[in-house]
Amino acid sequence: MMDNYALPFWVYLAALTVFVCGAMKRILAFHLSVGPTLMAWLGATLLVEQLWVFCMPVLLLLALLGLACYLYSACRTGPPQTALSGQGKTVFITGCDSGFGKEAAKRLDSLGFEVFATVLELTGDGARELQRSCSPRLTLLQVDITQPQQVQQALLDTKAKLGLRGLWGLVNNAGVCVNFGDAELSLMSNFRGCMEVNFFGTLSVTKSFLPLLRQAKGRIITISSPAGDQPFPCLAAYGASKAALNLLTDTLRHELEPWGVQVSTILPSSYRTGRTSNHTYWDQQYKQLLQGLPPALLEEYGEDYVIETKDLFQSFASQANPDVTPVIDTIVQALLAAQPQARYYAGPGVGLMYFIHSYFPFSISNRLLQKLFVKKKLMPQALRKQSGLELHSLHNNNNNEEKSEKL
């Protein structure tokens, strides 16, 4: 019987195996605890079913299953990697006034790195904390990454301390989210502000420090956001800037591979950093938005609609995890792993979110974003009026029909 199916069977089996292994490889990249096991069992079940249909000999069937289990185990665990030492290595980190940047600077300093940490204010609370808690190896630099002259001065200061050495790591952490609300309501200045810091500023720093990174065959670690890959409601300006940043980072990874420079992107879940937990911050954002909106547009959406959006963002930010340890651990891993990954998902839920986004129907992933992120209850005012008029019209039509029947 096997002779009748010889060529078609082996072609089919090879294609099926390639598909299952490819899917497993994609799933493993999301770092899910149940995903790899589930996918492995589904793939094995499909293979076994097809093999039995073709009446495969039992010994050959067992051998193929054993090979599949071995390959799965090898893909899951991978070769053992020895972490590199931070002693004597240099790293340049942007945005160290607070949040990820400040905590990363402290951790890397404790691991023996020579850290160059940029802050917006040398006399600010974050800068003073770094000076108190870190070793003399840490150098504070006042840098606004949107100002090319400040970036170039930081490069000169870094070169002066490095001497003939190259730069092992660049951590692009500085970023802003200066908007909330629908894209139509977001001011053009907010779109430009996000692009200026998150994309152009990061690009300016990266291009400036690339010669030092190429010299040391170092690493570029960029802190991005899932909002750059998935359409989070009311985050159009921020998400667009991060989408541009993600594409830039992916392109650099290909271009810098021949130079020996490793490029990684870190995609964190929601964390409470910076001023986002401050009520005053959201009130200022709200007032600035109202001042910049044309009266006719504000009338279309309604001030209560804007207030609800502000309150939802404020609530979401206040409930975010204040412990940024998973992100800092990931930065360290990307800097010291023998073979760093192209992408890291830092924090609970990010891998699952990307898994659903990649493999589930669009309607499901879209609904997940709407339910988990901004749970709006109000519709824009113009739509509410329209719905009210339609209901009123429908009610009048029903009354007229009842009168006609009575007549």
Side-chain angles (χ1 to χ4, degrees), residues 23-330:
M24 286 174 58
K25 183 178 179 182
R26 289 285 304 278
I27 298 296
L28 289 170
F30 293 108
H31 307 290
L32 298 175
S33 57
V34 296
T37 303
L38 176 62
M39 200 64 191
W41 277 110
L42 288 176
T45 302
L46 184 58
L47 282 172
V48 170
E49 179 186 2
Q50 295 302 318
L51 290 172
W52 275 115
V53 168
F54 285 99
C55 302
M56 289 292 290
V58 176
L59 290 179
L60 182 56
L61 175 61
L62 292 176
L64 286 173
L65 285 176
L67 178 61
C69 290
Y70 171 79
L71 292 175
Y72 168 71
S73 177
C75 289
R76 183 180 174 86
T77 58
Q81 293 188 8
T82 303
L84 306 176
S85 171
Q87 294 293 330
K89 289 184 171 60
T90 57
V91 61
F92 187 95
I93 313 174
T94 62
C96 297
D97 297 87
S98 63
F100 302 146
K102 184 180 71 175
E103 297 305 319
K106 291 163 65 175
R107 174 77 70 83
L108 294 173
D109 176 77
S110 70
L111 293 174
F113 278 87
E114 182 179 353
V115 178
F116 296 87
T118 75
V119 292
L120 287 174
E121 298 180 15
L122 287 174
T123 58
D125 294 339
R128 287 199 295 266
E129 182 180 341
L130 288 175
Q131 287 176 326
R132 287 193 307 267
S133 59
C134 294
S135 72
R137 289 189 307 273
L138 182 132
T139 301
L140 285 175
L141 301 169
Q142 185 168 359
V143 180
D144 179 347
I145 65 171
T146 65
Q147 302 299 317
Q149 67 275 15
Q150 293 187 25
V151 173
Q152 289 304 309
Q153 185 59 53
L155 176 62
L156 293 175
D157 294 339
T158 304
K159 281 184 174 180
K161 282 215 166 188
L162 288 177
L164 299 177
R165 295 176 296 159
L167 182 67
W168 173 256
L170 167 63
V171 180
N172 287 316
N173 167 70
V176 294
C177 179
V178 294
N179 83 295
F180 68 87
D182 302 56
E184 187 177 12
L185 296 177
S186 300
L187 307 177
M188 286 302 297
S189 60
N190 288 341
F191 280 92
R192 293 190 179 97
C194 283
M195 287 297 295
E196 198 63 41
V197 177
N198 299 339
F199 180 72
F200 289 113
T202 302
L203 175 61
S204 173
V205 172
T206 303
K207 284 175 64 68
S208 298
F209 283 83
L210 261 178
L212 293 177
L213 290 161
R214 288 191 285 105
Q215 180 184 339
K217 297 186 184 300
R219 300 183 177 186
I220 300 174
I221 316 298
T222 299
I223 312 298
S224 187
S225 168
D229 293 318
Q230 304 181 40
F232 282 83
C234 300
L235 276 183
Y238 178 72
S241 67
K242 290 296 187 178
L245 181 62
N246 288 347
L247 184 59
L248 170 67
T249 305
D250 289 341
T251 304
L252 285 174
R253 186 173 68 253
H254 294 296
E255 295 176 348
L256 296 175
E257 184 179 1
W259 294 93
V261 176
Q262 307 271 6
V263 180
S264 299
T265 302
I266 295 177
L267 300 156
S269 59
S270 178
Y271 289 94
R272 193 188 309 169
T273 60
R275 300 176 296 167
T276 56
S277 59
N278 189 330
H279 287 217
T280 304
Y281 168 79
W282 293 108
D283 290 338
Q284 290 174 347
Q285 292 287 308
Y286 167 72
K287 291 176 182 177
Q288 181 184 356
L289 178 62
L290 287 188
Q291 291 172 359
L293 283 179
L297 184 59
L298 181 59
E299 177 68 21
E300 289 278 306
Y301 278 86
E303 189 170 343
D304 57 347
Y305 180 87
V306 181
I307 292 175
E308 183 198 40
T309 305
K310 186 261 293 184
D311 291 341
L312 287 171
F313 266 78
Q314 184 174 313
S315 173
F316 186 83
S318 65
Q319 296 171 11
N321 189 358
D323 181 12
V324 298
T325 302
V327 180
I328 309 308
D329 291 342
T330 306

